[in-house]
Amino acid sequence: MGPGSRRNHASSVQPLGPLMEGPYPEANGERGKKERYWEVIRTWLRLQMDKGMSGSHSFHGGSISKTTTTTDLRLILGVLGCPLAPIPLTSDQPTQHLSIKDSPIETSSAHYIIQQYLAATGCLKQDNSRKSMYAAGSVKVVCHETDGTLGKIGGRAGGEHGCFVVWQKSPGMWSVELVVADDKVVAGSNGKVVWRNLPWLGTNAARGPQRPLRRIVQGLDPKTTASMFTKARCLGEKHVRDENCFVLKVSVDRATVAERSDGSAEVIRHVLYGYFSQKSGLLIYIEDSHLTRVQAPGTDAIYWETTIGSVIEDYKEVDGVLIAHQGRSVATVLRFGDSSANNSRIRMEEAWRIEDVVFNVPGLSDECFIPPKEIVA
């Protein structure tokens, strides 16, 4: 797989619409797109009720089991396949923003913690010669029932396996391809626009400022990760995974959040938390949560809260920089606020392992990150 292979999708993509980061259907523009986006989560919830009534995954000749496999996997790939980080990219290096003088104690403490993180990963010893990166890895995904019981994907409680590749080039260009079972998710950025292709939804462009791929800030690129926390506050300390950690928090400002709203869907907030080990200085857990309010004319408001928490571990040195080589993300989608329906919660999980990382990839040009023709038209 490579950046150029996404051109194969051009003939099958759907008309362009805004990229959605949560299962809020009303924000997708035309009615057909709304129903198509909603169909995945609506089918998933209906199947959970059917399974509860039948007590079996295989009644009606296995049709429930087969449909569950498809909807579970599409739901996971829609949320965890290629989410974006909350904070927009900046053109400056993260160390240029860090100053502990004339700042509140919460801000200056956060700046000091980020400097320690950059030092621990080896980034402070590196110059700016690393202009590109390639990473390949494997994933295992699984969906959970609303009551916490493990859902079966692909007929196995152990989940479904897949693989991914990520390409990155400064400034702000990246591409990712993720294949699980028979489904492939492709996304990318040419430094100006972010887009995503899901086979069952088509190609969509992201609204608002440029943001990096979340998979990159999960330990693959410490400098990009550090840039996420240049305006963070230190909330104190917390014990996480047998380690004492400093907790940093940064919220997306209201103007930036407003740019991501569309139609009846209003993005209310997006918050990022980072947990940095006091012993090693490394980032060992990262969590972001965004809340969206949806209210179509004549209906009650519905709120969607999507939270993704990622454990980051197994740091190994690659060309003098410590890179996290494995981790686990747990995503929770909570729907509430509609007086006519009960609240619903869906939980899904992805475990990943990085198997290869290369910096300064020969021959990786800007042309490898050209968006599909529907985006640039």
Side-chain angles (χ1 to χ4, degrees):
M1 293 184 290
S5 64
R6 63 177 175 275
R7 295 187 178 92
N8 296 333
H9 294 268
S11 60
S12 60
V13 296
Q14 301 295 326
L16 177 63
L19 187 154
M20 295 288 98
E21 297 181 66
Y24 37 95
E26 293 83 352
N28 266 11
E30 301 136 31
R31 181 175 179 81
K33 291 181 183 178
K34 298 176 188 177
E35 295 180 352
R36 192 163 59 241
Y37 200 94
W38 171 242
E39 187 62 32
V40 175
I41 191 170
R42 180 173 58 184
T43 302
W44 195 94
L45 292 171
R46 188 182 70 245
L47 287 170
Q48 309 316 308
M49 297 175 61
D50 291 342
K51 286 187 293 184
M53 294 173 62
S54 67
S56 171
H57 283 268
S58 59
F59 88 106
H60 292 327
S63 60
I64 286 290
S65 178
K66 182 178 179 180
T67 308
T68 299
T69 299
T70 301
T71 55
D72 279 359
L73 189 54
R74 288 183 175 182
L75 183 62
I76 293 174
L77 295 180
V79 176
L80 282 174
C82 50
L84 303 180
I87 310 300
L89 285 170
T90 62
S91 58
D92 298 324
Q93 295 296 321
T95 52
Q96 295 177 351
H97 295 278
L98 304 181
S99 173
I100 59 177
K101 296 181 179 179
D102 302 322
S103 300
I105 184 64
E106 297 88 353
T107 303
S108 59
S109 297
H111 289 172
Y112 180 79
I113 293 166
I114 291 302
Q115 287 179 324
Q116 293 300 306
Y117 167 67
L118 289 170
T121 57
C123 288
L124 292 184
K125 299 179 181 179
Q126 301 290 319
D127 56 21
N128 295 325
S129 61
R130 291 191 297 126
K131 298 298 184 181
S132 64
M133 178 190 69
Y134 159 82
S138 58
V139 298
K140 183 176 74 172
V141 298
V142 67
C143 198
H144 297 256
E145 312 286 1
T146 54
D147 62 359
T149 305
L150 188 64
K152 294 185 178 180
I153 299 179
R156 303 189 303 276
E160 191 70 65
H161 294 266
C163 60
F164 66 90
V165 293
V166 176
W167 308 80
Q168 183 186 35
K169 188 175 187 295
S170 300
M173 291 177 282
W174 54 265
S175 175
V176 60
E177 298 180 16
L178 170 66
V179 178
V180 179
D182 295 326
D183 286 311
K184 181 177 181 179
V185 177
V186 186
S189 169
N190 65 348
K192 298 179 180 178
V193 62
V194 175
W195 60 274
R196 178 181 67 176
N197 178 278
L198 301 177
W200 56 95
L201 287 179
T203 301
N204 305 96
R207 298 179 64 88
Q210 278 286 295
R211 289 178 288 148
L213 183 70
R214 194 183 191 277
R215 196 174 294 277
I216 291 176
V217 304
Q218 293 171 183
L220 272 178
D221 185 349
K223 283 191 175 181
T224 299
T225 303
S227 70
M228 299 287 99
F229 292 95
T230 55
K231 297 182 179 179
R233 295 183 298 110
C234 182
L235 301 184
E237 304 176 14
K238 189 172 182 179
H239 197 68
V240 178
R241 295 179 58 81
D242 299 325
E243 290 197 51
N244 292 322
C245 296
F246 294 113
V247 184
L248 302 189
K249 174 187 177 182
V250 59
S251 300
V252 183
D253 62 78
R254 294 187 62 86
T256 302
V257 167
E259 291 186 52
R260 292 162 50 188
S261 300
D262 180 68
S264 60
E266 176 189 8
V267 182
I268 297 176
R269 60 170 170 79
H270 203 162
V271 183
L272 177 68
Y273 298 90
Y275 295 76
F276 296 83
S277 169
Q278 295 182 10
K279 180 179 180 180
S280 67
L282 298 174
L283 178 67
I284 65 171
Y285 185 77
I286 189 171
E287 178 182 290
D288 69 279
S289 176
H290 69 83
L291 178 66
T292 303
R293 178 181 183 270
V294 179
Q295 185 169 19
T299 65
D300 295 331
I302 300 175
Y303 293 86
W304 293 96
E305 184 175 40
T306 303
T307 302
I308 305 177
S310 301
V311 173
I312 302 171
E313 54 192 1
D314 193 20
Y315 280 87
K316 297 178 182 179
E317 185 176 314
V318 179
D319 294 342
V321 178
L322 288 181
I323 300 297
H325 278 66
Q326 72 175 23
R328 186 180 72 256
S329 293
V330 176
T332 302
V333 179
L334 176 63
R335 176 188 184 275
F336 61 94
D338 187 352
S339 60
S340 63
N342 294 326
N343 297 344
S344 58
R345 183 189 301 271
I346 305 170
R347 187 171 179 266
M348 56 205 78
E349 184 173 339
E350 175 201 65
W352 80 88
R353 177 179 293 276
I354 301 298
E355 298 171 353
D356 190 22
V357 178
V358 177
F359 294 119
N360 293 326
V361 183
L364 189 64
S365 68
D366 293 0
E367 294 182 354
C368 296
F369 303 92
I370 297 176
K373 61 182 181 181
E374 290 79 7
I375 302 294
V376 299

